[in-house]
Amino acid sequence: MVFHGVQNLPVIAARELGLFGTHHLKVEIAVAPSSDEMRTGLADGRYQIVHGAVDNAVAMAEAENVDIAVVMGGDNGFCDLFVRPEIQSYEDLRGKNIVVDAAHTAFALVLYKVLARNGLNRGDYLVNPLGAGPLRLAGLQADPNNGAAILNLPFSILARRGGLRSMGAVVDQIGPYLSTCAFVRREWLTEHGDAVLRYIRAYVEGLRWALNRANEARAIDLLERWLRQPRDIARACYDIAVGAKDGFAPDAAVDLSGFANVLSLRADIEKQWAGVPPSPHKYLDLSWREQAMAAL
């Protein structure tokens, strides 16, 4: 299961190029309407591998007592904070709704932190959990009571072109951030390790293909179809996603400093671990990625 967005380019490239088949896998892709469904579906075994913000994996482990393992990384989320055009300052968000996916995970925690850094604390605004990126964008556009939302690609580009105002990239305010990663239940991983190795290999091969500018035109074709957006938007997404500064992590590496910041946010915002976050390694099992990479 994945969220709709440009972060899935390696997966759709691996499918389009037949890389999953080369590694003797049949992969069906489901698109998550919300992080709640992603977490619940993984816990229930309806999905075996999910790609989502790593804070969802932490929430599963800490709040839902599901033994998960993060097996590879992905990106920083490609996220900007957007507001309605009449919002001219953070203070204008006081008393407004802020639109999130789920109220206690991932981008919601990022948004609370950004607002706190700019003088707005919990209670100064209302939280409106609408779901994944398309729903957050629609909610921000349709309802003047919804003042702000964090949006990733392509929704950030659509928001800007639709007249919403960007308050800037969130990593410029909170520092490095690990967003998309792949995680699984450890019990399933133990029983299906060989399939996970083959999946990682196919994913990394798809990622390498996508990052190679020689394949740019075809990669944009894939994004155009996957995102169901015009080619100019697909191209803009591609240029950001493969950029050296904020693009995909090479070979799906895990940004440990970004993961540590995710845990610090949870410790600060959700008041977990008495304010002292654990090491990212509590949730990682990168031995599978290391084994997969050794065969590439």
Side-chain angles (χ1 to χ4, degrees), residues 10 73-76 78 178 180 203-204 207-208 211 241 243 246-255 289:
D75 58 62
N76 72 6
F78 317 113
L178 176 60
T180 308
Y203 180 96
V204 171
L207 174 59
R208 288 177 176 179
L211 292 177
D246 291 318
F248 288 112
D251 287 344
V254 170
D255 176 4
R289 178 180 173 274

Side-chain angles (χ1 to χ4, degrees), residues 237-294:
C237 288
Y238 177 81
D239 286 339
I240 294 171
V242 303
K245 180 176 182 289
D246 291 318
F248 288 112
D251 287 344
V254 170
D255 176 4
L256 290 176
S257 61
F259 198 170
N261 198 20
V262 168
L263 297 171
S264 293
L265 282 174
R266 180 161 284 277
D268 179 25
I269 302 297
E270 292 294 288
K271 309 303 181 186
Q272 284 191 259
W273 311 298
V276 181
S279 165
H281 293 285
K282 176 180 180 181
Y283 311 98
L284 292 169
D285 189 344
L286 298 182
S287 64
W288 301 95
R289 178 180 173 274
E290 291 167 3
Q291 292 178 64
M293 294 298 298

Side-chain angles (χ1 to χ4, degrees), residues 54-63 68 259 262-263 266 273 283:
V54 74
D55 189 65
N56 284 301
V58 176
M60 289 185 71
E62 300 295 344
I68 57 85
F259 198 170
V262 168
L263 297 171
R266 180 161 284 277
W273 311 298
Y283 311 98

Side-chain angles (χ1 to χ4, degrees), residues 192-242:
H192 300 87
D194 182 65
V196 171
L197 289 175
R198 288 181 278 122
Y199 181 87
I200 293 173
R201 289 175 193 138
Y203 180 96
V204 171
E205 287 172 348
L207 174 59
R208 288 177 176 179
W209 178 89
L211 292 177
N212 185 343
R213 284 282 186 173
N215 302 316
E216 178 176 340
R218 190 173 175 191
I220 292 171
D221 288 343
L222 292 181
L223 283 176
E224 189 176 0
R225 297 200 303 270
W226 169 258
L227 299 175
R228 299 187 295 277
Q229 296 294 334
R231 189 169 185 81
D232 62 324
I233 292 178
R235 178 179 295 279
C237 288
Y238 177 81
D239 286 339
I240 294 171
V242 303

